[in-house]
Amino acid sequence: MSDPVLRRLPKAALGALIARLGQTHTVRGPRVRDGAIVFGEVEAAEDLPRGWTDAQGPGRYRLEREGEAVFEGYVVGPDSPKRAHFPAREVLYTAERRADGKVGFAPVEATPGRTAWLGVRACDLAAERVRGAVFEAGGEPRPAARGREDLRVAVSCTKPGELCFCASTGTGPRAGEGADLVLTEREDDFLIEAPSEAGKAVLADLPVEPAEEGAEAWLDAAMEAAEGAMGRAVEMDGLPEKLLGRLDHPRWDEVAERCLACGNCTSVCPTCFCSTTESPVAISATGIGTVEGGAVEVGAGEAAQVRLWDSCFTEEHAYMHGGTLRPTVKARYRQWLTHKVGSWVAQFGTSGCVGCGRCIAWCPVGIDLTEEIAALREGEGELALPVLREAPLEDEDLVPSVAEVVGVRRESADVVTLRVKSERLAGFGPGQFTQLSLPGVGEAPISISGEEAGAIEHTIRGVGAVTKALCALEEGDELGVRGPYGRGWPMEALEGAPVVVVAGGIGLAPLRDALRKMVGSPASYPEVHLVYGARTPDDVLYAQEMLGWLGGPHFRLHVTVDRAAPSWRGHIGVVTRLLDEESVPEGARAILCGPEIMMRFTVEALGKLGVPDERIWVTMERHMECATGTCGRCQLGPYFVCRDGPVFRFDQVRALFGQEGF
Amino acid sequence: MSVTHDELREATLFASLGQEDLDGLARIATAEERGAGDVLFAEGDPPGDVYVVVGGRVTLCMAIDGGEGETCFLTLRRGELLGWTALLRRERVATARVVQPARLLRFGASDLLELCEEDHDVGYAIMRAAFEELADRLQHTRVQLLDMYGTKG
């Protein structure tokens, strides 16, 4: 049945509906709490906020007494079902690291909540679809699993709120898709329809009667009137390209003067999904892992991996190497808006905005994104970047597998190569990376630098808590691994032409496996130049191995350091000084890995030597946590560095490369 | 040793000069071969001659910690200017040491300045080329100062 039949539910039968839902589910619906209407447990019709209305405006939300309506007096409050399906704090797994260096990981399953959501609106249902698209793309099943057995008893809004604009985002006001039952409140009764089988089963037990003739027409007219009553709108057409092309629009400065970077908008937004993780250790056998919807017990000394909501307005969100990429409020607001209604489309095939207006009401200074978008549309510039996204990740697992350290080689004062046995990493490609973890310490993305005798090698510089702990591992110790992740080097596109490999510092590690393959296949890679810059001669990585590569007539090595003792006979100076007609032959293709500033100068120098952007590949680095595109951290415009990168063809990222705060 | 036009043209400094101008330069230049380990001048020396590296490799180093240790921060290669502070009559700020057998063009600083004074067109071309070369070197020095491969890189 694709055409649900409209029926009437008398207002007096609302209690019967709640009781029927309660037979199989926990009913959660609108409740008045702390001066706002939020979702709470509903046992009887009297629990619902009948006669309450929410007076909303930019930076304003007040409950007032008005009328007799059960649902129609108000729209959405700060709460949404997001909090149940994607909790603000959840334990992904518990973990243990014993004194003998062995580790263990135990997944924490997401259990279906069996909640009947009474009174959700069309925008809430749309938001659940948007979240679904986000987590499905990253192969993260937990949020959908939590909602799988839920029922959604939606309400179509006949009286949109002051801040609603769902008509313009195409997500309301009429509820249908995703709903099991849909109510439309009238003065004396509800119209009710059941778009799903589960809804029909409920409906069958209710004291409903067929709606009067003309009810369909009444409903259509009511919805049309509601659309017309919305005082706000966003014009979505072409917005992603316009926003990306207007990163220097003066409006960003103006809004940044008002924005407090408090992150309220991201907390109330039903689609914001950025998260961070913590790796706490229990000092006693108490509730370290307590989460909404059930406690996760861990013993003393055990650890947990906890995922928490995060916001792109925090300083920590884009933190890398002792600094944040987005130090200014302007950069953070711009990141939020260009993502929400811009790059979201390229990433997930839908805008991230469902027109609910929550971010406007709960902004303490009343910033109105519909106004901001309208102002940003008035301007010049458009930028369309290619969509690089491939199929969704499948069978992805945020829980690490246990791997054993089978060898440790010290490369320099602070750099160590770990040799790790792990079946999970089999089949990796050159330039891909993994997530290495230690219980109670945390996870870090580490590039794969090669494979030898069945062990996967990771060259790690100890700079933070996790990498220092990884560098301290010994043979026989265990650790957690996830991966391999990301797009690696384009080995096929490099075949047949001279290849210039430009590496800076630890940036040689992600290139090493590609170099090994090229050195070993002179027929496919007839001329390979490695141009390598290190801090000092002592920091030169893989020195012995590189000397061995010199045996092949098709391989040339050019090394320079930033400073050296007088005994050093090699080059001293920045790496770009080594780029000339000899090291960059005609028709060369180049692959680069190193600090962004080094790559910037290198691309410039390569350009002068006739290498176009389309023949240069770079590795980008951003703050990564999940590596699956679901934590929202490593964004670079429409791209997630963890999924669409870390290797990018330079012409695809040139417009964003070096862009402040991006 | 006599100096050919080809060798002079190797120098970034003289790349834009014509045949006649190169004749003038050839008259004041001498070529010399220096072995690895030779010190061309040392930090603190009075201003002396100006060089252009034609082949081989020369390292610039500075003493730190009261002269006990030396840190080298640049190697100069074919075509590059060496000892240019002599043109400003300043004492040497670094020690220049040959690390790979080098062929050098050597000019008396006052001879080169005189040549520039006598024909300002030539002088302008040479100074402009020096300006460009030193601008590149300054930019490279800044990048080195960032310590980009360090823990904050």
Side-chain angles (χ1 to χ4, degrees), chain A residues 484-502:
Chain A
Y485 294 116
R487 238 177 243 267
W489 300 110
M491 300 309 293
E492 277 181 25
L494 300 177
E495 281 184 23
V499 179
V500 184
V501 181
V502 186

PDB file of all heavy atoms in Angstrom, chain A residues 484-502:
ATOM      1  N   PRO A 484      43.687  -0.967   6.553  1.00  0.00           N
ATOM      2  CA  PRO A 484      44.301   0.286   6.086  1.00  0.00           C
ATOM      3  C   PRO A 484      43.256   1.272   5.549  1.00  0.00           C
ATOM      4  O   PRO A 484      42.189   0.858   5.112  1.00  0.00           O
ATOM      5  CB  PRO A 484      45.223  -0.193   4.956  1.00  0.00           C
ATOM      6  CG  PRO A 484      44.574  -1.440   4.447  1.00  0.00           C
ATOM      7  CD  PRO A 484      43.885  -2.068   5.619  1.00  0.00           C
ATOM      8  N   TYR A 485      43.603   2.538   5.600  1.00  0.00           N
ATOM      9  CA  TYR A 485      42.681   3.594   5.209  1.00  0.00           C
ATOM     10  C   TYR A 485      43.262   4.508   4.132  1.00  0.00           C
ATOM     11  O   TYR A 485      44.476   4.643   4.001  1.00  0.00           O
ATOM     12  CB  TYR A 485      42.346   4.469   6.419  1.00  0.00           C
ATOM     13  CG  TYR A 485      41.578   3.757   7.503  1.00  0.00           C
ATOM     14  CD1 TYR A 485      42.134   3.569   8.771  1.00  0.00           C
ATOM     15  CD2 TYR A 485      40.298   3.273   7.265  1.00  0.00           C
ATOM     16  CE1 TYR A 485      41.424   2.924   9.772  1.00  0.00           C
ATOM     17  CE2 TYR A 485      39.583   2.623   8.268  1.00  0.00           C
ATOM     18  CZ  TYR A 485      40.153   2.452   9.523  1.00  0.00           C
ATOM     19  OH  TYR A 485      39.454   1.822  10.497  1.00  0.00           O
ATOM     20  N   GLY A 486      42.368   5.166   3.425  1.00  0.00           N
ATOM     21  CA  GLY A 486      42.747   6.284   2.552  1.00  0.00           C
ATOM     22  C   GLY A 486      43.192   5.877   1.167  1.00  0.00           C
ATOM     23  O   GLY A 486      43.363   4.707   0.845  1.00  0.00           O
ATOM     24  N   ARG A 487      43.332   6.909   0.354  1.00  0.00           N
ATOM     25  CA  ARG A 487      43.791   6.765  -1.014  1.00  0.00           C
ATOM     26  C   ARG A 487      45.301   6.942  -1.034  1.00  0.00           C
ATOM     27  O   ARG A 487      45.803   7.951  -0.546  1.00  0.00           O
ATOM     28  CB  ARG A 487      43.234   7.928  -1.810  1.00  0.00           C
ATOM     29  CG  ARG A 487      42.398   7.624  -2.965  1.00  0.00           C
ATOM     30  CD  ARG A 487      41.956   8.970  -3.479  1.00  0.00           C
ATOM     31  NE  ARG A 487      40.524   9.097  -3.379  1.00  0.00           N
ATOM     32  CZ  ARG A 487      39.706   8.789  -4.388  1.00  0.00           C
ATOM     33  NH1 ARG A 487      40.189   8.360  -5.518  1.00  0.00           N
ATOM     34  NH2 ARG A 487      38.430   8.926  -4.252  1.00  0.00           N
ATOM     35  N   GLY A 488      46.005   5.999  -1.604  1.00  0.00           N
ATOM     36  CA  GLY A 488      47.465   6.068  -1.623  1.00  0.00           C
ATOM     37  C   GLY A 488      48.004   6.686  -2.903  1.00  0.00           C
ATOM     38  O   GLY A 488      47.300   7.408  -3.613  1.00  0.00           O
ATOM     39  N   TRP A 489      49.253   6.384  -3.190  1.00  0.00           N
ATOM     40  CA  TRP A 489      49.931   6.954  -4.355  1.00  0.00           C
ATOM     41  C   TRP A 489      49.398   6.339  -5.647  1.00  0.00           C
ATOM     42  O   TRP A 489      49.090   5.147  -5.692  1.00  0.00           O
ATOM     43  CB  TRP A 489      51.439   6.726  -4.263  1.00  0.00           C
ATOM     44  CG  TRP A 489      52.020   7.353  -3.040  1.00  0.00           C
ATOM     45  CD1 TRP A 489      52.510   6.715  -1.935  1.00  0.00           C
ATOM     46  CD2 TRP A 489      52.144   8.757  -2.786  1.00  0.00           C
ATOM     47  NE1 TRP A 489      52.917   7.632  -1.006  1.00  0.00           N
ATOM     48  CE2 TRP A 489      52.714   8.879  -1.495  1.00  0.00           C
ATOM     49  CE3 TRP A 489      51.826   9.902  -3.498  1.00  0.00           C
ATOM     50  CZ2 TRP A 489      52.963  10.122  -0.919  1.00  0.00           C
ATOM     51  CZ3 TRP A 489      52.077  11.141  -2.928  1.00  0.00           C
ATOM     52  CH2 TRP A 489      52.646  11.239  -1.655  1.00  0.00           C
ATOM     53  N   PRO A 490      49.319   7.127  -6.712  1.00  0.00           N
ATOM     54  CA  PRO A 490      48.752   6.637  -7.981  1.00  0.00           C
ATOM     55  C   PRO A 490      49.800   5.856  -8.771  1.00  0.00           C
ATOM     56  O   PRO A 490      50.312   6.342  -9.789  1.00  0.00           O
ATOM     57  CB  PRO A 490      48.377   7.937  -8.696  1.00  0.00           C
ATOM     58  CG  PRO A 490      49.408   8.918  -8.224  1.00  0.00           C
ATOM     59  CD  PRO A 490      49.754   8.535  -6.821  1.00  0.00           C
ATOM     60  N   MET A 491      50.119   4.656  -8.324  1.00  0.00           N
ATOM     61  CA  MET A 491      51.243   3.919  -8.909  1.00  0.00           C
ATOM     62  C   MET A 491      51.084   3.699 -10.417  1.00  0.00           C
ATOM     63  O   MET A 491      52.062   3.723 -11.155  1.00  0.00           O
ATOM     64  CB  MET A 491      51.437   2.577  -8.185  1.00  0.00           C
ATOM     65  CG  MET A 491      51.731   2.683  -6.700  1.00  0.00           C
ATOM     66  SD  MET A 491      53.075   3.829  -6.300  1.00  0.00           S
ATOM     67  CE  MET A 491      54.482   2.982  -7.002  1.00  0.00           C
ATOM     68  N   GLU A 492      49.830   3.505 -10.864  1.00  0.00           N
ATOM     69  CA  GLU A 492      49.636   3.273 -12.299  1.00  0.00           C
ATOM     70  C   GLU A 492      49.882   4.537 -13.115  1.00  0.00           C
ATOM     71  O   GLU A 492      50.493   4.485 -14.185  1.00  0.00           O
ATOM     72  CB  GLU A 492      48.214   2.763 -12.558  1.00  0.00           C
ATOM     73  CG  GLU A 492      48.105   1.276 -12.329  1.00  0.00           C
ATOM     74  CD  GLU A 492      46.700   0.755 -12.599  1.00  0.00           C
ATOM     75  OE1 GLU A 492      45.961   1.379 -13.380  1.00  0.00           O
ATOM     76  OE2 GLU A 492      46.366  -0.279 -12.017  1.00  0.00           O
ATOM     77  N   ALA A 493      49.424   5.664 -12.582  1.00  0.00           N
ATOM     78  CA  ALA A 493      49.595   6.928 -13.313  1.00  0.00           C
ATOM     79  C   ALA A 493      51.066   7.328 -13.395  1.00  0.00           C
ATOM     80  O   ALA A 493      51.444   8.156 -14.225  1.00  0.00           O
ATOM     81  CB  ALA A 493      48.785   8.033 -12.634  1.00  0.00           C
ATOM     82  N   LEU A 494      51.894   6.738 -12.543  1.00  0.00           N
ATOM     83  CA  LEU A 494      53.319   7.092 -12.541  1.00  0.00           C
ATOM     84  C   LEU A 494      54.126   6.233 -13.514  1.00  0.00           C
ATOM     85  O   LEU A 494      55.275   6.538 -13.812  1.00  0.00           O
ATOM     86  CB  LEU A 494      53.902   6.931 -11.127  1.00  0.00           C
ATOM     87  CG  LEU A 494      53.262   7.786 -10.029  1.00  0.00           C
ATOM     88  CD1 LEU A 494      53.884   7.461  -8.672  1.00  0.00           C
ATOM     89  CD2 LEU A 494      53.422   9.270 -10.331  1.00  0.00           C
ATOM     90  N   GLU A 495      53.520   5.172 -14.012  1.00  0.00           N
ATOM     91  CA  GLU A 495      54.262   4.234 -14.858  1.00  0.00           C
ATOM     92  C   GLU A 495      54.702   4.878 -16.179  1.00  0.00           C
ATOM     93  O   GLU A 495      53.959   5.661 -16.767  1.00  0.00           O
ATOM     94  CB  GLU A 495      53.392   2.999 -15.158  1.00  0.00           C
ATOM     95  CG  GLU A 495      53.351   2.024 -14.004  1.00  0.00           C
ATOM     96  CD  GLU A 495      52.565   0.761 -14.326  1.00  0.00           C
ATOM     97  OE1 GLU A 495      52.435   0.432 -15.525  1.00  0.00           O
ATOM     98  OE2 GLU A 495      52.073   0.128 -13.373  1.00  0.00           O
ATOM     99  N   GLY A 496      55.894   4.528 -16.593  1.00  0.00           N
ATOM    100  CA  GLY A 496      56.359   4.922 -17.926  1.00  0.00           C
ATOM    101  C   GLY A 496      56.992   6.296 -18.023  1.00  0.00           C
ATOM    102  O   GLY A 496      57.664   6.603 -19.003  1.00  0.00           O
ATOM    103  N   ALA A 497      56.810   7.135 -17.026  1.00  0.00           N
ATOM    104  CA  ALA A 497      57.370   8.487 -17.081  1.00  0.00           C
ATOM    105  C   ALA A 497      58.435   8.632 -15.990  1.00  0.00           C
ATOM    106  O   ALA A 497      58.437   7.874 -15.024  1.00  0.00           O
ATOM    107  CB  ALA A 497      56.262   9.514 -16.854  1.00  0.00           C
ATOM    108  N   PRO A 498      59.342   9.620 -16.145  1.00  0.00           N
ATOM    109  CA  PRO A 498      60.260   9.883 -15.029  1.00  0.00           C
ATOM    110  C   PRO A 498      59.449  10.319 -13.805  1.00  0.00           C
ATOM    111  O   PRO A 498      58.486  11.074 -13.947  1.00  0.00           O
ATOM    112  CB  PRO A 498      61.125  11.043 -15.524  1.00  0.00           C
ATOM    113  CG  PRO A 498      60.883  11.142 -16.987  1.00  0.00           C
ATOM    114  CD  PRO A 498      59.544  10.546 -17.270  1.00  0.00           C
ATOM    115  N   VAL A 499      59.817   9.820 -12.636  1.00  0.00           N
ATOM    116  CA  VAL A 499      59.098  10.175 -11.408  1.00  0.00           C
ATOM    117  C   VAL A 499      60.041  10.916 -10.471  1.00  0.00           C
ATOM    118  O   VAL A 499      61.156  10.446 -10.204  1.00  0.00           O
ATOM    119  CB  VAL A 499      58.542   8.919 -10.705  1.00  0.00           C
ATOM    120  CG1 VAL A 499      57.812   9.319  -9.412  1.00  0.00           C
ATOM    121  CG2 VAL A 499      57.593   8.159 -11.620  1.00  0.00           C
ATOM    122  N   VAL A 500      59.586  12.077 -10.013  1.00  0.00           N
ATOM    123  CA  VAL A 500      60.339  12.829  -9.014  1.00  0.00           C
ATOM    124  C   VAL A 500      59.614  12.692  -7.689  1.00  0.00           C
ATOM    125  O   VAL A 500      58.440  13.036  -7.581  1.00  0.00           O
ATOM    126  CB  VAL A 500      60.430  14.324  -9.390  1.00  0.00           C
ATOM    127  CG1 VAL A 500      61.306  15.066  -8.395  1.00  0.00           C
ATOM    128  CG2 VAL A 500      60.954  14.475 -10.800  1.00  0.00           C
ATOM    129  N   VAL A 501      60.303  12.138  -6.709  1.00  0.00           N
ATOM    130  CA  VAL A 501      59.718  11.959  -5.385  1.00  0.00           C
ATOM    131  C   VAL A 501      60.336  13.014  -4.482  1.00  0.00           C
ATOM    132  O   VAL A 501      61.558  13.036  -4.306  1.00  0.00           O
ATOM    133  CB  VAL A 501      60.042  10.543  -4.843  1.00  0.00           C
ATOM    134  CG1 VAL A 501      59.418  10.352  -3.468  1.00  0.00           C
ATOM    135  CG2 VAL A 501      59.558   9.471  -5.821  1.00  0.00           C
ATOM    136  N   VAL A 502      59.511  13.919  -3.967  1.00  0.00           N
ATOM    137  CA  VAL A 502      60.058  14.959  -3.103  1.00  0.00           C
ATOM    138  C   VAL A 502      59.553  14.724  -1.684  1.00  0.00           C
ATOM    139  O   VAL A 502      58.346  14.722  -1.440  1.00  0.00           O
ATOM    140  CB  VAL A 502      59.659  16.371  -3.578  1.00  0.00           C
ATOM    141  CG1 VAL A 502      60.376  17.434  -2.752  1.00  0.00           C
ATOM    142  CG2 VAL A 502      59.976  16.548  -5.057  1.00  0.00           C
TER     143      VAL A 502
END
